[in-house]
Amino acid sequence: MLNKTKRILKQLLDIVEIYIPTVTFLTLFVVFILQVYHRYILREPLMWGIELTEIAFVWTIMLGASYARRKRDHVAFSLIYDALPQKGQLYMRLIANATIVISFGIALNPVFQQIALMTNDTSSVLRIPFTIIYLPFLLLIISFIGYSLYDIVTDIKKLLDKDNRDFSENVFHDQFDEEELEVPEMLKE
């Protein structure tokens, strides 16, 4: 049951953090090329194209940043961190993750309230509700809080475990990747 729940969670995270940003980036790219063609070849700029590329950009960046946080592929200035022993790195991770949880936790309600206030407001050309446009920012905050809480719990468990002296960094996605998926018989041939 737990493995099935983990698999479903991973699939949901992949949809939100990989597949939706991929689609929004492709949309951004194709519409941008269309805009260039219409503006410079046909001399008739697309008004909806500018708006759609801006919305696609917001979705791509916010959900892509969430994926980068999950995979630990975000930019890090780790000169001091790398110089510390593993236990010192663990304490720095705890402080950094607690800072993220606190600051994003403080921001969560105001961001939610602001997005909820924009229910009736729509974009000027495509008439897309601003709640949909800015929803990825709320998802980004929630995912950062979730990943940081996961890291805090894992690091505290490492700190409290008297037998374990491995204080190396947690990698959230390895929890999912360790699990081997069964290959259907027809694909084995």
Side-chain angles (χ1 to χ4, degrees):
M1 180 69 179
L2 187 61
N3 285 337
K4 186 176 182 179
T5 305
K6 280 184 178 181
R7 199 170 311 140
I8 290 170
L9 177 62
K10 183 187 183 312
Q11 288 172 345
L12 287 173
L13 288 173
D14 285 349
I15 288 169
V16 171
E17 297 175 347
I18 298 172
Y19 301 122
I20 292 175
T22 301
V23 170
T24 57
F25 180 77
L26 288 173
T27 302
L28 182 150
F29 183 76
V30 169
V31 172
F32 179 77
I33 297 300
L34 276 172
Q35 282 180 264
V36 170
Y37 176 75
H38 274 265
R39 176 171 290 230
Y40 295 107
I41 306 297
L42 300 179
R43 303 274 185 215
E44 296 176 10
L46 301 172
M47 295 309 295
W48 60 268
I50 295 168
E51 195 171 281
L52 187 58
T53 55
E54 290 170 353
I55 294 167
F57 180 76
V58 168
W59 276 70
T60 302
I61 296 303
M62 294 298 162
L63 297 179
S66 180
Y67 180 71
R69 173 65 176 95
R70 175 170 38 142
K71 293 291 189 174
R72 306 292 190 287
D73 283 341
H74 48 79
V75 175
F77 300 101
S78 60
L79 184 65
I80 297 171
Y81 178 83
D82 289 340
L84 292 173
Q86 282 188 351
K87 195 167 187 176
Q89 291 178 354
L90 181 135
Y91 285 118
M92 281 191 75
R93 283 195 310 271
L94 283 170
I95 292 167
N97 284 318
T99 303
I100 289 170
V101 169
I102 291 167
S103 58
F104 279 39
I106 291 169
L108 183 62
N109 189 46
V111 167
F112 177 77
Q113 294 295 325
Q114 185 61 37
I115 290 173
L117 280 175
M118 295 187 285
T119 304
N120 295 326
D121 297 335
T122 60
S123 61
S124 57
V125 179
L126 295 174
R127 300 287 181 216
I128 299 172
F130 281 129
T131 52
I132 292 173
I133 294 171
Y134 294 112
L135 179 65
F137 186 60
L138 186 63
L139 296 176
L140 173 81
I141 289 175
I142 292 168
S143 71
F144 267 57
I145 290 171
Y147 292 135
S148 296
L149 285 173
Y150 174 84
D151 288 347
I152 288 170
V153 169
T154 305
D155 280 340
I156 288 173
K157 283 181 182 177
K158 286 181 181 181
L159 199 57
L160 297 176
D161 186 4
K162 303 289 185 209
D163 298 331
N164 184 15
R165 291 292 127 209
D166 178 23
F167 299 116
S168 59
E169 188 170 7
N170 315 316
V171 183
F172 184 80
H173 63 89
D174 282 351
Q175 294 283 326
F176 297 118
D177 295 341
E178 287 175 3
E179 188 179 308
E180 287 293 320
L181 298 178
E182 283 187 39
V183 179
E185 289 297 321
M186 62 185 212
L187 295 176
K188 288 183 180 178
E189 297 173 359

